[in-house]
């Protein structure tokens, strides 16, 4: 007989759990890409370009706080 269990978490808890993982994956992928290609550029047609534009706009409006490298990676 098998049993299943469910865990219920809030969106804030999910965000707290996923954000470090997502940051690490993005960092590792960009680092790997840059090493293989010696650099990388974001083209306006790329989703990441749009995300970066959105972050810049929200930062300019004071709606987002950007963390330092040390705060994000603990280095």
């Amino acid at each position: 007989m098998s049993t299943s269990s469910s865990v219920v978490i809030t969106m804030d808890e999910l965000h707290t759990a996923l954000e470090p993982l997502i940051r690490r994956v993005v960092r590792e992928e960009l680092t790997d890409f840059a090493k293989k290609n010696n650099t990388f550029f974001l083209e306006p047609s790329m989703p990441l370009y749009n995300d970066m534009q959105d972050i810049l706009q929200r930062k300019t409006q004071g709606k987002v706080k950007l963390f330092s490298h040390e705060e994000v990676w603990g280095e």
Side-chain angles (χ1 to χ4, degrees):
M1 173 187 234
S2 67
T3 61
S4 65
S5 60
S6 298
V7 176
V8 178
I9 62 173
T10 67
M11 287 304 290
D12 286 338
E13 291 169 328
L14 181 62
H15 179 266
T16 299
L18 289 178
E19 185 174 12
L21 175 64
I22 293 168
R23 288 180 182 275
R24 176 177 284 147
V25 169
V26 169
R27 179 183 185 201
E28 289 173 0
E29 290 297 318
L30 288 177
T31 299
D32 185 51
F33 183 84
K35 284 180 182 177
K36 288 179 182 175
N37 297 286
N38 295 324
T39 190
F40 73 95
F41 296 93
L42 296 177
E43 306 260 340
S45 62
M46 299 171 77
L48 186 55
Y49 181 92
N50 294 329
D51 292 340
M52 298 301 285
Q53 288 288 88
D54 179 56
I55 291 168
L56 176 61
Q57 182 179 25
R58 288 186 290 141
K59 181 181 183 293
T60 303
Q61 296 170 348
K63 295 181 179 179
V64 69
K65 177 189 183 288
L66 299 179
F67 296 96
S68 71
H69 180 90
E70 184 175 309
E71 289 172 307
V72 172
W73 304 113
E75 298 175 351

